[in-house]
Amino acid sequence: MTQESELSAEALMDLAVTLNVIFKERDQLEAIFKFWRNPDLKIFQMDKMWDLRNRQYLGTRYDSRKGAYDWDLSMKLHDRGAFVIGRNEYFKWREKGVAFEIREGIYDIPNKSIASGLLLRHKGEKIPARGYWGDIVTGPYIAFGIESEEKSLLKTRNGIHVKSAQDISQYNITALFHELVNGSCYTLPSSPEHSSQANICEVIEEEEEGSSLNNMGENKEETQTEESQSQAKGGGSNSEYDFFPLDNVRVHFLPVNCIQDLHKKMKFERFFNVTYFSCSMVQHVTPKLKLISAPKATLIVELARFMLDLKKEQIEGFADQVAEVAKEAGYVPFGTVDGMKDTFARFELKEGC
């Protein structure tokens, strides 16, 4: 076992994790983790898989694909409220699959966590294949990059957004991690260009050299003191493999098809206060869901607002379908459900259910 894996194992022990899965699924998880750790870049050639998906999706439009990109952005994403997404960043993601470039550099290492398996039919037989079968049209910006509590990030000049979807995503993720760790709201650091007063500094070389040596000694003492305090608390040395210290948090890995049988376990009876379903899992919203939901539990269902291949009538019909299955399961909506305006539909479990 390498030092890296030892650190990862130790960090996982600190993070409370419960595997409520069968042995077959444990073996599958182990195989996935080993695949992630494989350093061979040829085992998952993302650039070739992305181009193949693009060719299959666009077909005869592939040679004029930039026109297809522009249509999807202007007539679909912008029309559905994602105005912040810019042309350059969207086109680059559609072409290469690279969405966020926080640092300057070459992004040539594939993200193996987005790989998945699929049974493909070849010459009448089903053959398992690993590849990328995810989204190549909508983009990842809609998750954290089109809305923000920090309204200064949504400012426009001459009808163009000052900040990009990448900037907004970076702020939202930073704020999320900050609030998880510190339990307080995150505020955007003020930049020098927005400062109302200018600072005037007089620099003297001799004094600067002497003060820099003193500061180096003080910083070294402070670093040694912080390390000793960290080791005294039992946290060990700070490393990039440490997890955020979240008290009273436990992660449960459940079986793939657990919704239909989860109510049979006493510990999950009337247990969940909030349940979330993606738009591809709506078929699991059944009357059995209320058996594992706490009184007045909240149900959140993703709608098809940003599924660009669907027409307006299909999106609205899907929203009506979600409202209907939630009603059959014993939930009532918070307000009205509008498929073209709402990204999620929220419901509450009725009293007496």
Side-chain angles (χ1 to χ4, degrees):
M1 181 178 289
T2 62
Q3 182 181 4
E4 179 183 341
S5 60
E6 289 177 357
L7 289 170
S8 301
E10 182 180 354
L12 281 172
M13 291 300 293
D14 295 334
L15 179 67
V17 175
T18 301
L19 291 175
N20 296 301
V21 297
I22 60 179
F23 286 103
K24 179 181 178 181
E25 292 172 338
R26 286 173 182 254
D27 294 339
Q28 292 173 348
L29 283 174
E30 182 181 0
I32 291 173
F33 295 150
K34 287 181 178 179
F35 168 70
W36 289 355
R37 293 178 61 85
N38 192 328
D40 187 5
L41 297 179
K42 295 182 180 180
I43 197 173
F44 185 63
Q45 296 178 328
M46 185 61 193
D47 53 345
K48 294 183 179 180
M49 294 181 182
W50 188 270
D51 183 66
L52 179 62
R53 286 289 312 281
N54 257 334
R55 291 178 182 273
Q56 291 176 340
Y57 176 76
L58 294 173
T60 57
R61 297 184 299 160
Y62 181 80
D63 292 335
S64 58
R65 56 190 178 278
K66 290 188 177 181
Y69 300 163
D70 185 65
W71 177 268
D72 290 338
L73 177 64
S74 303
M75 304 304 294
K76 294 182 180 180
L77 276 173
H78 288 178
D79 188 54
R80 300 178 190 185
F83 304 104
V84 182
I85 302 177
R87 187 175 186 271
N88 291 335
E89 58 187 351
Y90 180 74
F91 274 41
K92 190 166 189 177
W93 174 79
R94 285 290 299 264
E95 188 70 18
K96 298 295 183 181
V98 179
F100 304 101
E101 295 181 328
I102 306 301
R103 305 179 184 89
E104 293 184 359
I106 300 175
Y107 291 79
D108 57 349
I109 298 181
N111 179 11
K112 296 179 183 177
S113 65
I114 61 176
S116 58
L118 190 68
L119 289 176
L120 299 179
R121 186 174 295 276
H122 179 68
K123 296 181 179 180
E125 297 182 0
K126 291 184 177 180
I127 300 175
R130 178 185 284 123
Y132 175 71
W133 319 110
D135 171 46
I136 61 169
V137 180
T138 303
Y141 304 108
I142 61 171
F144 294 99
I146 60 175
E147 297 177 349
S148 179
E149 295 179 353
E150 179 58 49
K151 300 305 179 184
S152 63
L153 298 174
L154 304 176
K155 289 183 178 179
T156 59
R157 291 177 183 173
N158 298 324
I160 301 175
H161 283 270
V162 177
K163 298 295 183 180
S164 65
Q166 173 178 295
D167 297 329
I168 299 173
S169 299
Q170 184 177 6
Y171 170 83
N172 287 336
I173 293 294
T174 304
L176 177 63
F177 287 157
H178 174 88
E179 293 171 10
L180 280 173
V181 176
N182 299 297
S184 59
C185 292
Y186 177 76
T187 56
L188 187 67
S190 58
S191 58
E193 62 182 12
H194 290 71
S195 178
S196 59
Q197 296 180 352
N199 296 325
I200 301 176
C201 298
E202 183 178 356
V203 179
I204 300 177
E205 292 183 359
E206 295 180 357
E207 293 182 2
E208 184 181 19
E209 292 178 358
S211 61
S212 62
L213 292 175
N214 293 332
N215 291 335
M216 289 175 62
E218 293 176 359
N219 292 336
K220 185 176 181 180
E221 292 177 358
E222 291 177 358
T223 303
Q224 293 176 349
T225 304
E226 291 176 357
E227 290 179 355
S228 60
Q229 290 177 353
S230 176
Q231 293 176 358
K233 293 179 180 179
S237 60
N238 293 329
S239 70
E240 58 179 317
Y241 305 106
D242 289 339
F243 289 94
F244 289 140
L246 300 177
D247 298 330
N248 302 321
V249 173
R250 178 172 291 275
V251 178
H252 294 266
F253 285 91
L254 299 174
V256 177
N257 298 319
C258 64
I259 298 297
Q260 304 302 323
D261 299 326
L262 208 58
H263 67 280
K264 297 178 182 178
K265 297 184 178 181
M266 291 295 295
K267 62 180 179 180
F268 293 124
E269 186 177 349
R270 299 289 182 178
F271 181 73
F272 296 100
N273 296 102
V274 179
T275 52
Y276 171 85
F277 290 86
S278 64
C279 56
S280 61
M281 293 291 165
V282 175
Q283 68 272 17
H284 295 293
V285 181
T286 63
K288 291 183 179 180
L289 181 62
K290 62 186 176 184
L291 300 177
I292 59 174
S293 300
K296 294 187 177 181
T298 300
L299 170 65
I300 303 175
V301 182
E302 180 190 17
L303 299 179
R305 175 187 177 188
F306 290 111
M307 295 186 67
L308 304 189
D309 290 330
L310 298 183
K311 298 179 180 179
K312 179 180 178 181
E313 296 77 13
Q314 293 174 311
I315 295 174
E316 293 176 346
F318 181 79
D320 295 338
Q321 180 185 355
V322 169
E324 184 64 27
V325 296
K327 180 180 178 181
E328 294 176 358
Y331 288 84
V332 292
F334 288 105
T336 58
V337 179
D338 191 332
M340 292 300 297
K341 295 182 180 180
D342 298 331
T343 308
F344 304 98
R346 296 170 177 82
F347 306 88
E348 184 183 56
L349 185 63
K350 292 189 295 186
E351 295 183 5
C353 288

